[in-house]
Amino acid sequence: MKVTITDIAKAAGVAKSTVSKVLNDSPRISEDTKQRVREIMKEMNYTPSSIATGLARQSSQTVALLVDMSKESEFLNQYFYNIIGGIESVIGTRKYELTIANIQHNHPEGHFLQRLVLNKRVDGLIANTSVLSEALCEELHRLRFPYISVGEIQAPGSWVDFDNRSGGKMLTAHLLAQGYASVAFVGGMDGEAIREQRYAGYRKALEQAGRPLNEAWVHCGEAHEEEGYRAAMMLLQSGRPPEAIVCINNYIAYGVLKAAGELGVRIPQELGIATFDDYPLARYMTPPLTSLNIDTFRLGVAAGKLLMEQLGNPETPAKHLLLKPELIVRESSTRR
């Protein structure tokens, strides 16, 4: 049986008019009451009919890309703008506008769910996995509000991502094929989704080649130059140094190159290096780095297309799309 506003009012011990005011975020209702009523709505799986019909009938012709402005790495890099360009190339042809929305919760109009979704200011959302928590995905799914995750999620909903497992496997298999007998893996925080996926591909390539996994050759840490340098110094000065290194990104790779240079280790003769992410440094290193190209413009295009499909047909089932990265072979790993 469908839950009604009367049911919510009875469960909360308030008048129906109070529930209506909570739905409209009226300033006349205390925050404590709003929170209590909203929790009951969530527990009873209540979707206001005005929202459900409004979302189906009305259109703002606007799509929001959610960003956490407290994290500079979220928006002060080329990847972010490539994704924007990809999304815009799709939605612009459908007469939709793209708006960048900050998710920080100190906005005077409240949580972005209230500002954007319940107030019907946008027709759909796109966000990466650092923004889309499982709880948020569940709530958007409950409201039947169209959204796309840029990055693999376990919650209900559509997502698009690059196949990081395949990427880790590609880089490792390439190094093994070049005759490097032992391959290390450096960078990324333990438990971080993207690191775990890339590391899983590395392990799979070793397994398929019949090579043992040496835990001493696996180093976790912040994905920046200093960590790459530190890890490479440890590995290359150990009693049994690896012959090649897979780097989580090209900042780590730069640190590895620096350490190898100081130790007089020749690349690629004595050490092979391959890295995720071609941008921004890989092609300009000495020697140029073998890398895995992650085309983030393509990622934005795919996210835009998935969202347009949902907006065109709300009954479209959730889709999970993995894009294949491209291996670019350069001097840092070619010795055959």
Side-chain angles (χ1 to χ4, degrees):
M1 182 181 295
K2 183 178 179 181
V3 178
T4 67
I5 194 171
T6 302
D7 298 323
I8 299 299
K10 184 177 180 181
V14 298
K16 288 169 58 178
S17 59
T18 300
V19 177
S20 296
K21 289 174 182 176
V22 170
L23 289 171
N24 290 313
D25 201 29
S26 171
R28 296 183 179 183
I29 304 299
S30 71
E31 289 302 317
D32 287 344
T33 299
K34 287 179 183 178
Q35 183 175 351
R36 180 161 55 88
V37 171
R38 286 168 181 161
E39 283 297 322
I40 290 171
M41 289 178 182
K42 187 172 182 179
E43 290 171 6
M44 298 180 71
N45 199 28
Y46 171 69
T47 301
S49 59
S50 59
I51 294 175
T53 57
L55 291 177
R57 185 181 65 251
Q58 299 179 26
S59 174
S60 66
Q61 290 299 116
T62 302
V63 168
L65 177 62
L66 300 182
V67 182
D68 185 348
M69 289 294 185
S70 69
K71 300 176 182 176
E72 289 190 357
S73 60
E74 293 279 312
F75 59 93
L76 293 182
N77 64 66
Q78 185 64 34
Y79 296 126
F80 177 68
Y81 296 100
N82 285 345
I83 289 173
I84 289 176
I87 295 170
E88 181 62 36
S89 73
V90 173
I91 71 170
T93 62
R94 315 285 180 88
K95 306 266 192 277
Y96 275 85
E97 299 291 337
L98 180 66
T99 184
I100 310 300
N102 183 11
I103 68 155
Q104 292 185 66
H105 297 171
N106 58 357
H107 194 284
E109 292 184 47
H111 193 283
F112 73 88
L113 270 178
Q114 180 67 44
R115 295 177 356 238
L116 302 176
V117 177
L118 300 183
N119 287 340
K120 311 182 191 105
R121 291 187 180 175
V122 299
D123 295 340
L125 301 174
I126 297 175
N128 67 25
T129 50
S130 70
V131 171
L132 286 172
S133 66
E134 185 173 343
L136 175 57
C137 291
E138 293 283 357
E139 182 65 7
L140 291 169
H141 180 69
R142 186 183 73 81
L143 291 171
R144 302 195 296 277
F145 191 81
Y147 77 95
I148 304 296
S149 170
V150 178
E152 184 175 343
I153 55 174
Q154 299 304 314
S158 294
W159 54 261
V160 57
D161 200 358
F162 271 96
D163 192 341
N164 287 292
R165 294 178 185 85
S166 176
K169 184 178 173 182
M170 288 168 68
L171 289 177
T172 309
H174 164 73
L175 290 168
L176 293 172
Q178 288 296 310
Y180 297 101
S182 53
V183 182
F185 186 95
V186 173
M189 300 300 291
D190 192 21
E192 190 178 55
I194 194 168
R195 186 263 178 191
E196 294 304 315
Q197 292 164 4
R198 293 177 175 184
Y199 177 54
Y202 160 81
R203 293 199 319 267
K204 188 66 175 178
L206 292 179
E207 177 188 329
Q208 290 184 344
R211 307 295 175 87
L213 172 65
N214 187 337
E215 296 289 351
W217 291 337
V218 178
H219 282 256
C220 296
E222 295 286 345
H224 51 58
E225 171 193 341
E226 292 80 6
E227 186 62 32
Y229 176 83
R230 185 190 70 79
M233 279 293 192
M234 291 176 57
L235 287 167
L236 297 176
Q237 295 182 100
S238 66
R240 189 184 170 201
E243 294 184 10
I245 299 176
V246 170
C247 303
I248 197 76
N249 64 17
N250 49 158
Y251 293 105
I252 286 284
Y254 181 77
V256 171
L257 274 174
K258 183 178 177 182
E262 290 183 11
L263 295 173
V265 177
R266 295 176 302 154
I267 298 169
Q269 295 91 338
E270 297 173 297
L271 179 70
I273 301 176
T275 181
F276 281 87
D277 303 338
D278 190 55
Y279 176 86
L281 304 172
R283 70 182 66 189
Y284 304 113
M285 302 279 196
T286 304
L289 293 175
T290 290
S291 67
L292 209 66
N293 184 31
I294 307 293
D295 186 348
T296 47
F297 183 89
R298 220 171 111 217
L299 202 61
V301 168
K305 286 182 176 178
L306 285 178
L307 186 58
M308 290 298 102
E309 284 182 22
Q310 283 195 18
L311 293 178
N313 180 10
E315 302 305 318
T316 300
K319 293 184 179 179
H320 303 154
L321 181 60
L322 280 175
L323 305 180
K324 293 294 182 184
E326 174 194 9
L327 179 65
I328 302 175
V329 178
R330 297 193 180 99
E331 294 173 31
S332 70
S333 67
T334 52
R335 66 179 191 181
R336 283 190 174 180

